[in-house]
Amino acid sequence: MKIRNKWVRMSKVLLLFFSIFIRIYWFKLRQRSEQEWDLLWEKIGGDFRKTLFELEGLLIKVGQILSIRTDLLPHSFIKQIQDLTDKVPPSEWKEIKAVIEGEWGCELNKNLHSIEKASIASASIGEVYQAVLNNGEKVAIKVQRPQIQSIVSIDFRTLGIIIWFADRFVPVPKGFINFQVLYKELKHVIEQELDFQKEMNSLLFFKERFKEYDDVKIPHVYSDLCTSKIIVMEWVEGVRLTNDKALETLELSREKLAQRLLKIFLPQWLEPGIFHADPHPGNILIAKDGQVILLDFGMVGEITKKDASYFQSLIGSLLAKDYSKAVECLSQLGFLHPQADFRTMEKLLAELVSFDTATLKETDLIQLKMEMNDMIQALPIQVPTRFIFLGRSVVTIEGILRQVAPEAEILELGRPVFMRWLQKQGNSKWTFLWQWAQSQPVFKVVHSVNEFLRLPQKLESIKEKEQRRHFQFVIFENNKKQFFLLLLIGLIGFCLGLYSGQSVIWQLSTAIGFISIIGYFICSFKQKKWMKYMQERK
């Protein structure tokens, strides 16, 4: 790492954040034009990028995560950080050797016949070295960077200060983003990535998951040589997805390769369980026979059964053109702001789904994506923090598919893959087919009548929820009023005590006033916490 000193790292990050905060507020006070607003964010993005490359470590990963938050940040900022790569200079060999021998409790030659002293890959958390075991098998050894634990601890402490400040003073709309949840999610994922035993378990999980797939290869892991800081796995050879010349020599066509990638990742996004959250081109290789080799399972996310059910229902609703149900699924998943108008969202979904994909060939895709990003920011849409890493996985694979098969349409590539996945879903398959049948004209009238009959029940449920929320809100407000009145009584008593010279009265009044202030702030804190909770549930 370039800068390991605790106070230097903290001061540089905090200085960057507060300078951004001040620049934004100063801009708002001067009420500049929208064009100048974009230029400001472009400059902020450049400064942010420069600081990340200077400090490296955890901060590179923070930048990578922010680069997919087009729903939160301006395009001019995203453009500056969207190509961040987690590449840092390797550590000195003597430090790496000390880590390996310290973890194994013996010298290298007890387990290894030889090892290359130059790393073949070096990222912020780990480095990979090629070696040969004493039995002659070639392996890849992933070693945790020296002192990375202390560096990550410093960076998290700094981020904690920034998150605390942002949560209280950054003017974002209610329900737009929960900074604390975002921080906890990021911390959870990075802490998992720091424990190589968990990465080994994730690798074994994926190996079991894809054991029936002939076109997927997960490296064998030598669990007896693995520790919390070392992973030893089978050495695999393959072509990078960024190597166009090598891809042309494969037996597999570009379109078939893209569909194979979708076949591997689509179930991860739609079924409950863990998914690969960092599938960048360096973590996916292609063997000569077309096998897809998956590497690096340090960053994984998880989809719950409930969320998987809503995602599947969302796809079924879109296939059935039941936009009312689709919007309801989006709301349940947390993609809509609490104040979103469901009817407006239904109309927008209908327009989006009816978009003629054939016109994409004649469209400037970069301009279209920029317009889509602007539209998303203008709409009451948000990406829940628990889906940040799912979004990262989807966006990364989308970029890879466009690079692998630039002439193909992603929807056309995905349709047969989705249908094959659907055929394996058992009872769920009939649910999807029934939803598709409902989209046909003959069922339109039945569907409309059904929606009409369900309307009173929906209205009654909404009314009941709103009444409960209003009742709880009134309780909080009444308690605050009572504490405020108590504070007034304390102030009056304090003044009377001073006027009459009775020390007992003004001392008692001071105590009453102090208690009322504490009670008022506690009540306000609980009310704010409850309101955030209700926004997340809504």
Side-chain angles (χ1 to χ4, degrees):
M1 295 293 160
K2 293 181 182 176
I3 298 178
R4 290 181 179 177
N5 184 277
K6 172 182 175 180
W7 298 112
V8 173
R9 289 186 72 87
M10 289 185 73
S11 61
K12 280 184 174 289
V13 176
L14 291 173
L15 184 63
L16 172 69
F17 172 77
F18 286 116
S19 69
I20 292 172
F21 181 78
I22 291 167
R23 276 188 279 178
I24 291 172
Y25 264 91
W26 180 243
F27 182 93
K28 293 285 187 184
L29 286 172
R30 292 188 298 163
Q31 297 181 341
R32 298 290 185 173
S33 67
E34 189 174 338
Q35 186 178 4
E36 289 177 300
W37 175 249
D38 288 335
L39 289 173
L40 172 67
W41 275 103
E42 188 174 341
K43 179 71 168 58
I44 288 172
D47 294 343
F48 187 74
R49 179 189 179 91
K50 183 181 176 182
T51 304
L52 293 192
F53 276 122
E54 185 182 355
L55 298 179
E56 299 171 347
L58 167 69
L59 301 174
I60 291 284
K61 293 193 175 292
V62 173
Q64 289 176 328
I65 291 165
L66 289 178
S67 69
I68 64 171
R69 294 313 301 258
T70 55
D71 60 316
L72 295 179
L73 298 165
H75 175 74
S76 50
F77 177 84
I78 296 290
K79 190 168 66 174
Q80 294 293 319
I81 63 171
Q82 61 188 0
D83 60 342
L84 283 175
T85 52
D86 190 8
K87 292 181 181 178
V88 298
S91 305
E92 292 185 17
W93 167 246
K94 63 180 182 181
E95 292 181 319
I96 293 297
K97 182 183 177 185
V99 172
I100 298 174
E101 291 181 339
E103 289 297 302
W104 283 350
C106 63
E107 294 186 358
L108 296 183
N109 57 18
K110 184 174 181 180
N111 294 316
L112 302 178
H113 176 268
S114 63
I115 182 170
E116 296 289 335
K117 294 182 180 180
S119 67
I120 58 168
S122 178
S124 56
I125 289 179
E127 303 175 24
V128 181
Y129 293 81
Q130 188 184 85
V132 178
L133 298 178
N134 286 330
N135 62 8
E137 293 181 8
K138 190 185 286 188
V139 295
I141 302 180
K142 183 177 178 181
V143 186
Q144 191 174 107
R145 294 184 74 94
Q147 287 90 44
I148 188 62
Q149 297 271 3
S150 61
I151 291 170
V152 168
S153 177
I154 293 166
D155 290 346
F156 269 128
R157 201 170 303 163
T158 310
L159 282 176
I161 295 170
I162 292 171
I163 291 293
W164 181 91
F165 187 88
D167 196 39
R168 286 158 178 79
F169 302 107
V170 173
V172 295
K174 289 182 179 179
F176 194 65
I177 181 170
N178 189 321
F179 288 106
Q180 291 295 339
V181 174
L182 175 62
Y183 174 72
K184 287 177 183 176
E185 183 74 14
L186 177 64
K187 191 173 182 181
H188 172 71
V189 170
I190 298 301
E191 284 175 348
Q192 274 194 321
E193 200 169 354
L194 282 170
D195 188 346
F196 285 7
Q197 284 283 0
K198 290 181 179 177
E199 181 176 345
M200 183 192 76
N201 292 335
S202 296
L203 187 151
L204 293 173
F205 171 87
F206 278 96
K207 195 169 184 66
E208 177 66 21
R209 181 173 192 169
F210 291 112
K211 66 180 181 182
E212 308 267 330
Y213 287 62
D214 295 330
D215 45 13
V216 181
K217 167 115 179 132
I218 309 291
H220 171 70
V221 63
Y222 297 83
S223 54
D224 55 324
L225 296 176
C226 296
T227 71
S228 62
K229 293 184 179 180
I230 295 175
I231 291 182
V232 181
M233 58 195 131
E234 169 191 4
W235 180 266
V236 288
E237 300 280 356
V239 174
R240 280 179 175 260
L241 291 167
T242 51
N243 190 339
D244 289 326
K245 288 184 179 179
L247 289 180
E248 293 296 338
T249 64
L250 297 176
E251 302 173 2
L252 212 60
S253 70
R254 293 292 191 104
E255 288 73 18
K256 291 290 184 184
L257 176 57
Q259 287 185 326
R260 186 165 289 184
L261 289 169
L262 272 175
K263 175 188 172 185
I264 294 168
F265 283 93
L266 187 67
Q268 296 181 45
W269 302 332
L270 295 178
E271 297 173 10
I274 63 174
F275 60 88
H276 199 307
D278 195 22
H280 63 76
N283 289 339
I284 303 175
L285 301 178
I286 309 299
K288 289 182 179 180
D289 60 356
Q291 258 195 334
V292 177
I293 303 167
L294 297 182
L295 304 172
D296 194 351
F297 299 92
M299 188 179 286
V300 295
E302 185 173 4
I303 298 177
T304 64
K305 287 184 178 180
K306 184 179 178 182
D307 286 338
S309 173
Y310 279 125
F311 275 123
Q312 293 173 19
S313 183
L314 174 63
I315 291 174
S317 302
L318 293 174
L319 288 174
K321 298 180 182 178
D322 184 354
Y323 303 119
S324 174
K325 188 172 182 181
V327 170
E328 187 180 330
C329 290
L330 286 171
S331 177
Q332 292 292 341
L333 287 166
F335 283 96
L336 298 183
H337 291 172
Q339 67 271 25
D341 186 336
F342 277 30
R343 288 190 177 181
T344 303
M345 292 306 302
E346 287 172 27
K347 290 177 183 177
L348 286 169
L349 267 182
E351 290 177 12
L352 186 63
V353 173
S354 61
F355 179 74
D356 184 7
T357 54
T359 60
L360 285 175
K361 293 180 180 178
E362 303 170 4
T363 305
D364 182 347
L365 289 178
I366 296 175
Q367 183 62 31
L368 177 65
K369 193 164 187 177
M370 287 174 64
E371 289 175 4
M372 289 291 289
N373 289 343
D374 292 339
M375 185 182 77
I376 287 171
Q377 287 185 324
L379 291 172
I381 296 173
Q382 62 186 359
V383 179
T385 47
R386 70 182 188 278
F387 295 136
I388 288 176
F389 296 99
L390 178 62
R392 174 187 171 87
S393 180
V394 173
V395 168
T396 306
I397 291 297
E398 180 203 1
I400 289 174
L401 294 178
R402 292 195 185 281
Q403 186 176 13
V404 170
E407 299 299 320
E409 293 178 9
I410 291 181
L411 289 176
E412 293 301 318
L413 289 172
R415 187 174 287 113
V417 176
F418 177 73
M419 295 310 293
R420 283 197 294 271
W421 171 80
L422 191 59
Q423 289 173 359
K424 297 178 182 179
Q425 296 310 299
N427 293 333
S428 298
K429 171 175 65 179
W430 302 112
T431 303
F432 278 106
L433 290 174
W434 171 243
Q435 288 175 328
W436 173 83
Q438 286 180 304
S439 68
Q440 304 310 305
V442 70
F443 281 94
K444 290 287 185 183
V445 175
V446 177
H447 176 69
S448 299
V449 171
N450 185 39
E451 283 295 307
F452 179 76
L453 292 174
R454 286 166 57 191
L455 186 60
Q457 185 180 354
K458 280 186 178 180
L459 291 174
E460 188 62 35
S461 176
I462 292 170
K463 184 180 176 182
E464 185 181 345
K465 284 180 182 178
E466 289 302 322
Q467 284 177 342
R468 284 203 300 266
R469 286 169 181 162
H470 179 70
F471 179 70
Q472 184 63 47
F473 182 81
V474 169
I475 290 174
F476 281 121
E477 286 298 310
N478 285 340
N479 287 339
K480 285 166 67 177
K481 285 178 183 177
Q482 288 172 3
F483 281 119
F484 183 72
L485 288 173
L486 194 62
L487 176 61
L488 289 178
I489 292 170
L491 287 172
I492 293 169
F494 180 78
C495 293
L496 288 173
L498 288 178
Y499 181 76
S500 63
Q502 297 292 325
S503 60
V504 176
I505 295 176
W506 70 258
Q507 287 174 359
L508 181 62
S509 299
T510 302
I512 291 171
F514 183 71
I515 292 169
S516 63
I517 290 171
I518 293 174
Y520 185 89
F521 277 107
I522 290 174
C523 198
S524 297
F525 173 76
K526 286 184 176 181
Q527 185 183 28
K528 185 180 178 183
K529 191 175 179 181
W530 173 79
M531 287 176 73
K532 279 189 176 182
Y533 170 73
M534 293 311 297
Q535 285 166 4
E536 289 171 5
R537 286 200 56 183
K538 194 170 179 179

XYZ file of all heavy atoms in Angstrom, residues 87-128:
321
model
N -6.170 -2.964 -8.997
C -4.807 -3.424 -9.259
C -3.844 -2.550 -8.484
O -3.858 -1.330 -8.618
C -4.486 -3.354 -10.758
C -5.275 -4.334 -11.612
C -4.886 -4.205 -13.071
C -5.697 -5.163 -13.941
N -5.356 -5.007 -15.376
N -3.010 -3.175 -7.673
C -2.033 -2.428 -6.888
C -0.682 -3.131 -7.012
O -0.617 -4.334 -7.318
C -2.456 -2.327 -5.407
C -3.750 -1.580 -5.267
C -2.574 -3.704 -4.782
N 0.415 -2.418 -6.771
C 1.740 -3.047 -6.850
C 1.860 -4.193 -5.848
O 1.313 -4.118 -4.738
C 2.691 -1.898 -6.497
C 1.918 -0.657 -6.782
C 0.488 -0.989 -6.501
N 2.576 -5.267 -6.208
C 2.722 -6.407 -5.289
C 3.589 -6.068 -4.080
O 4.391 -5.134 -4.108
C 3.385 -7.475 -6.166
C 4.094 -6.710 -7.237
C 3.254 -5.500 -7.496
N 3.423 -6.862 -3.036
C 4.240 -6.696 -1.831
C 5.623 -7.284 -2.073
O 5.867 -8.001 -3.049
C 3.580 -7.403 -0.645
O 2.264 -6.954 -0.461
N 6.537 -7.003 -1.174
C 7.876 -7.593 -1.264
C 7.782 -9.080 -0.956
O 7.005 -9.514 -0.105
C 8.818 -6.906 -0.280
C 9.132 -5.458 -0.643
C 10.169 -4.852 0.282
O 10.877 -5.622 0.976
O 10.277 -3.616 0.312
N 8.597 -9.865 -1.659
C 8.525 -11.326 -1.530
C 8.778 -11.792 -0.091
O 8.123 -12.709 0.398
C 9.526 -11.985 -2.484
C 9.735 -13.442 -2.178
C 10.856 -14.055 -1.732
C 8.739 -14.482 -2.236
N 10.644 -15.384 -1.520
C 9.351 -15.683 -1.830
C 7.392 -14.502 -2.599
C 8.670 -16.886 -1.776
C 6.717 -15.712 -2.539
C 7.348 -16.880 -2.141
N 9.716 -11.149 0.602
C 10.024 -11.592 1.970
C 8.809 -11.443 2.888
O 8.613 -12.260 3.808
C 11.226 -10.836 2.531
C 11.037 -9.328 2.670
C 12.297 -8.681 3.242
C 12.096 -7.175 3.430
N 13.318 -6.517 3.974
N 7.958 -10.422 2.645
C 6.746 -10.248 3.450
C 5.734 -11.348 3.146
O 5.093 -11.890 4.057
C 6.122 -8.878 3.171
C 6.950 -7.689 3.653
C 6.265 -6.363 3.380
O 5.683 -6.216 2.277
O 6.291 -5.488 4.257
N 5.578 -11.683 1.851
C 4.647 -12.737 1.440
C 5.112 -14.087 1.978
O 4.306 -14.880 2.499
C 4.536 -12.780 -0.100
C 3.875 -11.511 -0.626
C 3.757 -14.021 -0.558
C 2.456 -11.299 -0.175
N 6.398 -14.330 1.880
C 6.961 -15.590 2.382
C 6.706 -15.731 3.884
O 6.343 -16.811 4.381
C 8.459 -15.642 2.091
C 9.124 -16.946 2.532
C 10.622 -16.901 2.283
C 11.278 -18.189 2.800
N 12.760 -18.141 2.677
N 6.861 -14.628 4.614
C 6.636 -14.646 6.067
C 5.175 -14.963 6.389
O 4.880 -15.696 7.345
C 7.021 -13.299 6.668
N 4.227 -14.431 5.578
C 2.804 -14.717 5.796
C 2.517 -16.197 5.580
O 1.851 -16.850 6.402
C 1.918 -13.867 4.847
C 0.458 -14.321 4.940
C 2.018 -12.395 5.208
N 3.032 -16.769 4.463
C 2.771 -18.189 4.145
C 3.356 -19.093 5.221
O 2.672 -19.989 5.735
C 3.359 -18.558 2.763
C 2.702 -17.722 1.661
C 3.143 -20.048 2.475
C 3.329 -17.910 0.292
N 4.608 -18.869 5.565
C 5.254 -19.724 6.575
C 4.609 -19.550 7.948
O 4.492 -20.516 8.715
C 6.750 -19.404 6.636
C 7.510 -19.852 5.387
C 9.003 -19.564 5.459
O 9.417 -18.692 6.264
O 9.758 -20.198 4.701
N 4.177 -18.327 8.236
C 3.498 -18.093 9.517
C 2.163 -18.815 9.594
O 1.799 -19.341 10.659
N 1.430 -18.870 8.491
C 0.134 -19.561 8.469
C 0.297 -21.071 8.481
O -0.484 -21.783 9.118
C -0.660 -19.135 7.229
C -1.188 -17.709 7.276
C -2.182 -17.483 8.387
O -3.223 -18.189 8.415
O -1.941 -16.623 9.251
N 1.283 -21.579 7.761
C 1.501 -23.039 7.704
C 2.274 -23.556 8.916
O 2.220 -24.747 9.236
C 2.257 -23.401 6.430
C 1.377 -23.390 5.200
C 0.027 -23.289 5.171
C 1.808 -23.464 3.836
N -0.433 -23.307 3.877
C 0.635 -23.414 3.026
C 3.045 -23.551 3.206
C 0.687 -23.470 1.634
C 3.105 -23.609 1.822
C 1.933 -23.558 1.046
N 3.024 -22.675 9.558
C 3.819 -23.096 10.710
C 5.026 -23.924 10.339
O 5.517 -24.722 11.144
N 5.488 -23.753 9.101
C 6.665 -24.501 8.631
C 7.270 -23.777 7.438
O 6.696 -22.814 6.924
C 6.267 -25.924 8.244
S 5.104 -25.990 6.856
N 8.435 -24.231 6.993
C 9.080 -23.640 5.830
C 8.348 -24.043 4.556
O 7.656 -25.073 4.512
C 10.547 -24.059 5.771
C 11.368 -23.491 6.925
C 12.858 -23.787 6.766
O 13.228 -24.459 5.781
O 13.632 -23.346 7.628
N 8.552 -23.250 3.489
C 7.831 -23.484 2.237
C 8.115 -24.857 1.644
O 7.214 -25.508 1.100
C 8.200 -22.400 1.210
C 7.810 -20.958 1.540
C 8.199 -20.036 0.378
C 6.332 -20.827 1.805
N 9.363 -25.308 1.728
C 9.731 -26.563 1.052
C 9.078 -27.804 1.655
O 9.163 -28.891 1.085
C 11.257 -26.723 1.011
C 11.880 -26.690 2.412
O 11.196 -26.877 3.426
N 13.180 -26.417 2.459
N 8.419 -27.652 2.796
C 7.714 -28.811 3.360
C 6.472 -29.146 2.539
O 6.084 -30.314 2.436
C 7.312 -28.520 4.810
C 6.666 -29.736 5.487
C 6.407 -29.497 6.955
C 5.783 -30.756 7.580
N 5.503 -30.569 9.020
N 5.851 -28.138 1.945
C 4.646 -28.356 1.133
C 4.854 -28.066 -0.352
O 4.110 -28.583 -1.193
C 3.501 -27.467 1.640
C 3.040 -27.838 3.040
O 2.880 -29.010 3.356
N 2.855 -26.832 3.883
N 5.843 -27.233 -0.668
C 6.024 -26.797 -2.048
C 7.356 -27.259 -2.620
O 8.395 -27.191 -1.956
C 5.956 -25.264 -2.131
C 4.678 -24.582 -1.635
C 4.823 -23.064 -1.749
C 3.468 -25.059 -2.411
N 7.299 -27.708 -3.868
C 8.532 -28.045 -4.592
C 9.185 -26.766 -5.094
O 10.419 -26.622 -5.066
C 8.197 -28.978 -5.767
C 9.382 -29.310 -6.620
N 9.723 -28.588 -7.738
C 10.337 -30.280 -6.480
C 10.821 -29.099 -8.277
N 11.216 -30.127 -7.533
N 8.328 -25.813 -5.556
C 8.834 -24.521 -6.025
C 7.705 -23.496 -6.016
O 6.526 -23.857 -5.992
C 9.406 -24.645 -7.441
O 8.386 -25.013 -8.350
N 8.082 -22.214 -6.040
C 7.094 -21.143 -6.108
C 7.714 -19.939 -6.817
O 8.887 -19.608 -6.582
C 6.593 -20.734 -4.693
C 5.511 -19.646 -4.807
C 7.727 -20.293 -3.796
C 4.801 -19.363 -3.487
N 6.939 -19.327 -7.698
C 7.399 -18.132 -8.402
C 7.356 -16.940 -7.438
O 6.340 -16.706 -6.780
C 6.502 -17.843 -9.610
C 6.532 -18.924 -10.676
C 7.841 -18.953 -11.440
O 8.521 -17.905 -11.501
O 8.186 -20.032 -11.964
N 8.446 -16.188 -7.382
C 8.507 -15.065 -6.441
C 7.784 -13.820 -6.945
O 7.529 -12.899 -6.172
C 9.962 -14.733 -6.119
C 10.666 -15.852 -5.353
C 12.090 -15.466 -4.998
C 12.767 -16.608 -4.229
N 14.175 -16.268 -3.848
N 7.490 -13.786 -8.251
C 6.741 -12.657 -8.820
C 5.263 -13.019 -8.884
O 4.904 -14.099 -9.388
C 7.266 -12.327 -10.216
N 4.395 -12.153 -8.358
C 2.961 -12.461 -8.351
C 2.391 -12.386 -9.766
O 2.865 -11.596 -10.593
C 2.209 -11.480 -7.446
O 2.248 -10.179 -7.976
N 1.372 -13.204 -10.041
C 0.712 -13.167 -11.356
C -0.503 -12.247 -11.318
O -1.045 -11.880 -12.356
C 0.298 -14.579 -11.811
C -0.645 -15.204 -10.782
C 1.501 -15.449 -12.049
C -1.324 -16.452 -11.268
N -0.947 -11.891 -10.113
C -2.064 -10.954 -9.943
C -1.922 -10.311 -8.570
O -1.545 -10.974 -7.598
C -3.403 -11.666 -10.056
N -2.229 -9.018 -8.495
C -2.085 -8.304 -7.233
C -3.224 -7.307 -7.077
O -3.339 -6.368 -7.858
C -0.738 -7.574 -7.200
O -0.586 -6.845 -6.007
N -4.073 -7.546 -6.079
C -5.213 -6.668 -5.813
C -5.057 -6.064 -4.420
O -4.050 -6.276 -3.739
C -6.514 -7.439 -5.937
N -6.064 -5.326 -3.972
C -5.957 -4.591 -2.707
C -5.938 -5.504 -1.490
O -5.358 -5.163 -0.465
C -7.107 -3.594 -2.585
O -8.340 -4.250 -2.710
N -6.582 -6.671 -1.587
C -6.663 -7.564 -0.430
C -5.730 -8.760 -0.544
O -5.141 -9.197 0.437
C -8.119 -8.030 -0.218
C -8.952 -6.848 0.300
C -8.206 -9.205 0.746
C -10.397 -7.143 0.528
N -5.578 -9.318 -1.746
C -4.754 -10.510 -1.904
C -3.887 -10.481 -3.142
O -4.091 -9.690 -4.062
N -2.871 -11.361 -3.139
C -1.976 -11.537 -4.280
C -1.930 -13.017 -4.636
O -2.067 -13.876 -3.756
C -0.569 -11.033 -3.945
C -0.529 -9.579 -3.515
C 0.854 -9.126 -3.083
O 1.845 -9.747 -3.532
O 0.939 -8.170 -2.288
N -1.746 -13.328 -5.908
C -1.744 -14.718 -6.368
C -0.368 -15.080 -6.911
O 0.225 -14.326 -7.703
C -2.825 -14.945 -7.451
C -2.824 -16.404 -7.899
C -4.203 -14.559 -6.931
